[in-house]
């Protein structure tokens, strides 16, 4: 028997780490971005990206329930403006994740270790009547993985170098994964806009 349907939202879900992201991808079809823990405090390009996406789509923020999680939550909320953030909270449950040898400093489960039904409820509570809404379709046709290949940004010789060069030119974080890059492109640009930018860059 299949589980509950994934939660739909047009907001960008922000979590601390890759294990949180992998966990949340089973529960929601939201675009997911990472803070990489405290790295967000010094990563100016990721900060700028979060600000842009917050204004355009709104953020859904889900961090651990320990002190570090609340420091990250407060920082991002102040960075982008509280009016652009829906706050999702998981309960402070004692324990440790199976992949870890020892519990965290405060002995609490992180987002990745909290039971699915509690994480789902935290997202639904934060979204309220917004739950089930998706991001409005972009004007123009969406950007696809095939486009990334055609532009030489993925799956071709020199793709990594071209990708880093483009992300730097656009002021985007250089460590975006291919999936993150595609989602960010589709949130911020149309195919036509990005295609024109790439042609201009080639001619420069």
């Amino acid at each position: 028997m299949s589980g509950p349907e994934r939660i739909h939202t047009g907001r960008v879900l922000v979590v601390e780490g890759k294990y949180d992201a992998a966990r949340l991808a089973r529960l929601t079809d939201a675009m997911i971005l990472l803070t990489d823990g405290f790295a967000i405090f010094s990563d100016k390009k990721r900060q700028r990206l979060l600000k842009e996406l917050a204004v355009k789509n709104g953020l859904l923020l889900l961090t651990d329930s320990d002190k570090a999680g609340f420091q990250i939550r407060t920082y991002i909320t102040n960075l982008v403006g509280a009016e652009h953030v829906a706050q999702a909270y998981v309960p402070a449950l004692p324990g440790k994740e199976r992949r870890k040898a020892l519990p965290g400093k405060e002995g609490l489960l992180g987002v990745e270790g909290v039971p699915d039904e509690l994480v789902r409820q935290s997202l639904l509570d934060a979204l309220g009547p917004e739950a089930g809404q998706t991001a409005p379709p972009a004007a123009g046709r969406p950007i696809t993985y095939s486009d990334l290949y055609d532009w030489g940004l993925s799956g071709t010789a020199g793709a990594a170098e071209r990708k880093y060069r483009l992300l730097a030119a656009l002021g985007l974080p250089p460590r975006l994964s291919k999936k993150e890059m595609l989602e960010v492109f589709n949130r911020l640009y149309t195919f036509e806009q990005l295609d024109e930018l790439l042609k201009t860059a080639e001619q420069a």
Side-chain angles (χ1 to χ4, degrees):
M1 193 165 93
S2 62
E5 182 184 359
R6 289 198 299 168
I7 297 166
H8 306 297
T9 175
R11 288 181 180 266
V12 177
L13 176 59
V14 180
V15 297
E16 292 182 50
K18 64 181 181 180
Y19 293 103
D20 299 332
R23 171 77 186 292
L24 269 294
R26 301 199 321 261
L27 305 179
T28 174
D29 58 7
M31 173 184 171
I32 301 174
L33 284 181
L34 314 181
T35 71
D36 283 334
F38 287 147
I40 189 62
F41 295 167
S42 58
D43 190 337
K44 299 300 182 192
K45 289 185 175 178
R46 194 163 288 258
Q47 290 171 19
R48 179 180 154 191
L49 175 59
L50 288 178
K51 284 195 233 183
E52 284 188 63
L53 291 170
V55 171
K56 189 162 187 178
N57 301 111
L59 303 185
L60 174 57
L61 189 51
L62 179 61
T63 61
D64 292 347
S65 54
D66 58 7
K67 180 181 177 183
F70 272 83
Q71 286 176 324
I72 293 168
R73 181 188 295 277
T74 300
Y75 180 82
I76 292 173
T77 302
N78 291 336
L79 175 75
V80 306
E83 69 275 17
H84 300 303
V85 183
Q87 305 281 358
Y89 299 94
V90 290
L93 301 177
K96 74 171 185 67
E97 288 73 31
R98 277 180 292 182
R99 67 181 178 84
K100 295 180 179 176
L102 297 169
K105 195 188 304 184
E106 296 176 38
L108 300 174
L109 287 173
V111 168
E112 64 169 292
V114 174
D116 278 359
E117 62 272 18
L118 295 180
V119 177
R120 276 183 58 83
Q121 193 58 53
S122 76
L123 298 179
L124 291 171
D125 289 345
L127 291 169
E130 279 185 36
Q133 297 178 14
T134 55
R141 82 161 178 80
I143 298 160
T144 66
Y145 283 113
S146 295
D147 294 325
L148 299 185
Y149 178 84
D150 292 341
W151 288 328
L153 300 174
S154 173
T156 59
E161 185 183 336
R162 280 190 290 275
K163 169 191 162 183
Y164 288 128
R165 217 165 41 230
L166 174 65
L167 292 176
L170 296 176
L172 294 172
R175 291 178 55 210
L176 291 178
S177 68
K178 184 165 74 169
K179 181 175 185 290
E180 286 177 327
M181 182 170 68
L182 184 66
E183 290 180 324
V184 167
F185 284 169
N186 273 309
R187 294 291 176 119
L188 299 180
Y189 304 97
T190 64
F191 168 83
E192 293 78 10
Q193 287 171 332
L194 199 52
D195 192 49
E196 188 60 35
L197 283 170
L198 284 158
K199 285 175 182 169
T200 304
E202 285 171 8
Q203 292 164 5

